[in-house]
Amino acid sequence: MHSPSTLQAEVEAMIDYGSGPIHRAIAMAECLLTEWQYPPMEANDLAWVYVSLEGEDFLEAVSVIVHQQGEKLAIRWLEWGRP
């Protein structure tokens, strides 16, 4: 559904208000966000991952559910922004 170039364009638009690039990305597979709703895991889902994106003057995030699709991994669900 989303090509790598589409994902890149979305991230660049999300951090456009900042004055520079992403300096650090932290993937957190185990974190507790009680106020944030995400869909239930399905049979072929491998992990729900929250990714913090940090720059000089911004802090954003993206959450994904990683899904096994045959021999490949895919993003089944994606939520832009931090809660």
Side-chain angles (χ1 to χ4, degrees):
M1 181 179 203
H2 299 286
S3 69
S5 60
T6 301
L7 293 173
Q8 180 178 352
E10 290 288 339
V11 170
E12 288 173 353
M14 183 172 61
I15 65 169
D16 188 44
Y17 66 90
S19 61
I22 296 169
H23 293 296
R24 187 165 81 155
I26 302 169
M28 295 177 262
E30 294 183 27
C31 64
L32 181 62
L33 296 174
T34 58
E35 300 297 318
W36 209 18
Q37 299 296 313
Y38 56 94
M41 299 290 276
E42 295 179 358
N44 290 339
D45 290 343
L46 301 175
W48 173 78
V49 183
Y50 180 86
V51 183
S52 173
L53 306 172
E54 301 175 9
E56 185 69 32
D57 54 0
F58 66 85
L59 179 60
E60 288 293 345
V62 63
S63 292
V64 298
I65 292 178
V66 180
H67 181 82
Q68 184 77 43
Q69 205 169 44
E71 297 293 318
K72 297 181 179 183
L73 299 180
I75 296 171
R76 178 179 69 81
W77 177 84
L78 179 136
E79 178 76 25
W80 296 107
R82 59 189 189 282

